[in-house]
Every structure is written in structure tokens, then in C-alpha cells.
Amino acid sequence: MRKIVSLVLAILFITIYSAVPAAFAESNKRLSEDEVHLLVAEANEKIDLLIEKAVEESEKLESRYLKDKQETQERIVQVQSEITNLAIELQDAKDDKKMMKKLENAEEKLLKENEKLEELQKKFDRELDQLIQNLLEVTNELSAETISKAAENGITVECTWILVELGGKKVWVDPLKVVGP
């Protein structure tokens, strides 16, 4: 039994110690300058796609927000008109209590629509901020990884910031360029 355990352990140690240097040798493989340029081009292509998707998503968010905002503003105008008409009718009304109740209900309705309008703005801002944050996190990480891999191979790569507009907000995003060996 001891011999079997010893044999299994010996095989295990030989397998581990022979596989580990091979794994590290693969990860330490140097890239040629052309391979680094290709790596940068691939990273920039991914960044461009991420920007494009973020722009499309921000346009959808903004379009939905503007549509909901317009509908809410139209309801606000209707309620304001209703309040104006009720105020005029109140002057001539014989049953002041009934008219006052209608007026109070209309004013409450107006308050709710105004609150809804504020919430629409807050929701749009939250969703847009999250979209921007996600874009920046992913592109910054991708850029950092590419810069690091290039540096390991003796090539200098840096960010070339571009300004991107997402939902009315301007954001700097970081595509890459090779600046030298």
C-alpha cells in the first residue's frame, strides 16, 4: 500500500513540476512588434464597438425619456387647464364645497404629474450614469490590459482620449495608440 501511495505521489509531483514551467513559459512568451500592433488594433476595435453600443443604448434611453416626458407634460397642461376652468366655475358656483373638492382633486392630480416628471428625470439620469460607468470601466480595463501586455514586450502604448456624447453628457473614452518601442 505504501508503494502505491509513494508511486502516486511521485507521479503527481512529476506532473506538477513538469507542467508548471510550461504554463509559465507560455504566459511569458514575448510578442513581436507586429503582434503588439495587432493586439492594440483588436483592443481599439472592441472599444469602438463598446462606444457604438453605448451610443445606441443612450439614444434609446433618451428617446424613451423624451416620449414619457412629453406625455407627462401634456397631462400637466390638461390638468392646469382643468384647474383654471374649475377656478372660474367656482366663482359662479352655488355649491362651493363640491367645487372646492373638484379643485383640490385637480391640484392633487397636478402635483402627482409634476412628481412623475421629476422621477422620469431621475430615472433617466440614473440609467445614463450607469451606462456611462459601465462603458468607462470596461474600456479602461481593456486599455490597461493592452498597455500592460505591450509594456511587457518593450513597446509603449498610450491612451488617445476621445470625446463621446451619451444622452447629452460628454464622456472621455480611451482608445489606444502605439507610441514607440
Side-chain angles (χ1 to χ4, degrees):
M1 183 70 171
R2 255 184 193 196
K3 288 182 182 181
I4 294 174
V5 171
S6 297
L7 183 61
V8 169
L9 285 175
I11 292 172
L12 182 64
F13 284 121
I14 291 170
T15 305
I16 289 173
Y17 284 110
S18 64
V20 170
F24 284 119
E26 184 63 32
S27 67
N28 289 335
K29 179 185 167 202
R30 299 214 23 108
L31 300 175
S32 70
E33 190 172 336
D34 289 341
E35 289 172 319
V36 171
H37 279 275
L38 183 61
L39 186 67
V40 168
E42 289 172 355
N44 282 337
E45 192 173 305
K46 289 177 185 175
I47 289 170
D48 288 344
L49 284 172
L50 290 167
I51 291 170
E52 189 177 305
K53 286 180 183 178
V55 168
E56 289 173 8
E57 185 63 28
S58 72
E59 287 172 353
K60 288 178 188 175
L61 286 173
E62 189 172 25
S63 175
R64 185 179 62 217
Y65 162 70
L66 292 174
K67 178 181 176 273
D68 292 346
K69 179 182 175 182
Q70 181 179 356
E71 290 172 357
T72 303
Q73 287 173 328
E74 287 172 0
R75 285 193 300 273
I76 287 172
V77 168
Q78 289 173 344
V79 173
Q80 287 172 332
S81 176
E82 181 182 339
I83 289 172
T84 302
N85 291 337
L86 287 171
I88 292 169
E89 288 178 29
L90 180 61
Q91 294 171 355
D92 299 332
K94 293 180 181 170
D95 187 359
D96 287 348
K97 288 182 183 180
K98 187 176 181 182
M99 287 304 291
M100 284 299 290
K101 184 66 176 168
K102 284 183 179 181
L103 188 58
E104 287 173 10
N105 288 341
E107 287 172 346
E108 189 175 310
K109 197 180 200 181
L110 179 63
L111 182 63
K112 286 181 183 179
E113 290 299 328
N114 281 322
E115 288 172 355
K116 183 176 181 180
L117 191 61
E118 285 180 36
E119 187 54 41
L120 286 171
Q121 180 69 50
K122 288 177 185 176
K123 180 182 177 195
F124 171 70
D125 289 341
R126 272 192 316 269
E127 290 176 347
L128 184 61
D129 288 345
Q130 185 64 48
L131 178 70
I132 290 169
Q133 182 181 348
N134 290 343
L135 173 67
L136 293 177
E137 285 176 3
V138 173
T139 58
N140 289 346
E141 184 178 322
L142 184 58
S143 293
E145 287 175 10
T146 304
I147 289 170
S148 177
K149 285 181 185 177
E152 289 172 4
N153 291 281
I155 297 175
T156 304
V157 173
E158 65 182 29
C159 296
T160 57
W161 298 95
I162 61 169
L163 193 58
V164 177
E165 187 169 339
L166 299 171
K169 290 187 178 183
K170 296 186 181 194
V171 182
W172 289 99
V173 185
D174 56 350
L176 304 166
K177 73 174 180 179
V178 176
V179 290

